Amino acid sequence: MNRSFRRIGALGAATVAAVTFAAAAPAAAAPAADGLEFTLYAKEVPSDDSESPGARPEVGDSFAFADDLSRTKGGETIGRDGVTCTVVRAGDPMDVLCVGTFVLNGGPGGQLTAQNLLSVDPSDEAPAAFDIAVTGGTGDFKDARGWIRSTPDGDYSRMEFHIGR
């Protein structure tokens, strides 16, 4: 698959999403009335992509990707995510179902799970921002709910987390 199609799947769920905190992260996370709000930057980890770049995706095609997470662009890596996406409707636009897990280190610590159904224009080189549903978590994120706004930002995705419990 080509990079723009893979990035869209970026849950980061488009590919669905990923998150982590370092030990100092609580100072960077703003407490919301009923949870946490914080921003991370995701940068895709290079992979051996054997798909032909011009191939039109079909129903059932799937792909996976991983991102390193940091609090700032180019900053120290403080977490990671893993996302799988499957084309569930071909055409223009096509629908891609993505599910991802974000590993958070330090305090708070644990994992967040997220998913979304994203309508994608495969020819769009500048995808729009999209929201990802937080479906649960472990550790300090047990019973987490909320959403993540993923916005393309150059070679990164800006991930704004809005986590409730």
Side-chain angles (χ1 to χ4, degrees):
M1 307 246 139
N2 65 34
R3 180 167 163 72
S4 66
F5 179 70
R6 291 184 51 152
R7 188 79 232 143
I8 290 242
L11 253 181
T15 328
V16 176
V19 142
T20 269
F21 287 114
D34 58 343
L36 291 173
E37 293 188 357
F38 54 92
T39 300
L40 295 175
Y41 290 87
K43 184 164 186 179
E44 189 170 351
V45 175
S47 66
D48 178 24
D49 192 354
S50 59
E51 292 278 336
S52 58
R56 180 123 175 115
E58 298 178 4
V59 171
D61 285 353
S62 64
F63 60 95
F65 67 93
D67 294 303
D68 284 335
L69 305 170
S70 59
R71 285 187 295 255
T72 61
K73 287 186 191 179
E76 176 185 354
T77 299
I78 59 170
R80 67 189 190 282
D81 68 18
V83 180
T84 60
C85 298
T86 303
V87 176
V88 295
R89 180 178 296 202
D92 207 358
M94 87 177 113
D95 287 339
V96 182
L97 176 63
C98 297
V99 177
T101 300
F102 306 92
V103 177
L104 297 100
N105 301 312
Q111 297 185 8
L112 288 169
T113 58
Q115 70 179 44
N116 75 344
L117 179 65
L118 186 63
S119 290
V120 177
D121 177 352
S123 66
D124 188 359
E125 288 296 320
F130 58 92
D131 293 333
I132 304 160
V134 172
T135 57
T138 65
D140 292 333
F141 296 100
K142 183 176 184 255
D143 300 322
R145 294 289 183 257
W147 57 284
I148 304 163
R149 165 64 52 108
S150 178
T151 305
D153 192 353
D155 288 340
Y156 293 83
S157 289
R158 178 184 166 97
M159 313 280 300
E160 298 171 34
F161 289 78
H162 305 272
I163 309 298
R165 296 172 200 233

